[in-house]
Amino acid sequence: MLAALLLAALGAADLVRRPGGRTHVLEVPFLTALAVFVLGAAALGFGREGIWVAVPAMAVVVAWLSAQTAARLYGLITGAAAVAAALLFGQHVPRHEPPIEPWYDSLEIPALQSVPLDAAVLGLAVVVFLVQSANVVVRAVLRKAGPAVLEEEQELQGGRILGPIERVFIFAMALAGQYAAVAAVMAAKGVLRFPEISRDAAGGSRAEYVLVGSFVSWALAFAAVPLF
């Protein structure tokens, strides 16, 4: 659950972050992440001990936001290492009966009747992370591939919109075991991008942008599935 809270905090911070701007502590993205983590911890039954885990968790948020400003892939890798350290720190944090559980059990949604509260919270957190934070990872990898590849993002801006939708759909379908639907989405992506790739320049940067961006995006969606 601490992993879910941290993913949700990072995702919420990126959703309200000003693109390209430097984010400091006590600004909206950081405060949003702090509110999501602390309120979520309280609702899920973590006492004062769980609230204290917010300290290393917010250090992860600061590292994550700072890495985006620095535009360095190694900064995001450092942030991922900090995530692992924060989760290890909070692994043995005691947890009480979640105050939100009676409300969750009272929901008359058939699809949720067989889904435990922990799995539902983790699924929601993963979706929040995949919407915008995953774009940060994809862009960092594209930047590492070279400036010519990253420049294609200005020409093919639809990826910023299609990418999150594609990731959430692939994650949901893979979680449900509908891999035929996943394959159909991947095939449709190839058909959609083929005309643009066919007009690629001699350097092949447009094809590289589509391939690298797509594979990293899909990998992020699939990486969350083993958590369930």
Side-chain angles (χ1 to χ4, degrees):
M1 277 301 91
L2 291 173
L5 289 174
L6 187 53
L7 284 176
L10 291 173
D14 283 324
L15 283 174
V16 301
R17 184 178 61 86
R18 186 175 67 256
R22 182 180 294 275
T23 301
H24 300 281
V25 176
L26 301 183
E27 288 191 359
V28 173
F30 177 83
L31 294 178
T32 301
L34 179 61
V36 168
F37 192 94
V38 173
L39 294 177
L44 292 174
F46 292 101
R48 294 181 178 178
E49 302 89 346
I51 303 302
W52 275 109
V53 182
V55 176
M58 290 308 102
V60 172
V61 172
V62 171
W64 177 265
L65 295 173
S66 299
Q68 296 180 46
T69 304
R72 297 287 190 274
L73 182 59
Y74 69 79
L76 296 179
I77 296 175
T78 303
V83 169
L87 295 181
L88 288 174
F89 177 79
Q91 188 174 10
H92 303 293
V93 175
R95 184 181 174 193
H96 312 290
E97 183 177 351
I100 199 175
E101 192 162 23
W103 170 81
Y104 178 78
D105 292 337
S106 67
L107 293 176
E108 297 182 358
I109 303 176
L112 293 179
Q113 296 302 315
S114 60
V115 180
L117 174 62
D118 288 2
V121 172
L122 180 58
L124 178 61
V126 169
V127 169
V128 172
F129 183 86
L130 290 177
V131 170
Q132 180 61 30
S133 298
N135 277 346
V136 175
V137 180
V138 172
R139 196 171 296 117
V141 175
L142 289 172
R143 185 176 292 109
K144 199 69 175 178
V149 176
L150 189 62
E151 286 176 3
E152 295 296 337
E153 186 180 20
Q154 304 301 321
E155 297 291 331
L156 307 175
Q157 294 187 10
R160 299 181 185 178
I161 301 174
L162 291 176
I165 298 174
E166 179 183 282
R167 281 191 297 270
V168 171
F169 183 82
I170 288 177
F171 167 68
M173 291 300 99
L175 202 59
Q178 301 295 327
Y179 290 101
V182 173
V185 170
M186 293 179 175
K189 177 72 172 287
V191 173
L192 178 67
R193 290 302 194 187
F194 178 76
E196 296 160 336
I197 294 176
S198 63
R199 296 192 300 269
D200 203 355
S205 58
R206 180 165 295 185
E208 189 173 357
Y209 169 81
V210 173
L211 290 174
V212 172
S214 296
F215 278 110
V216 174
S217 184
W218 296 339
L220 289 171
F222 280 121
V225 176
L227 298 174
F228 295 85

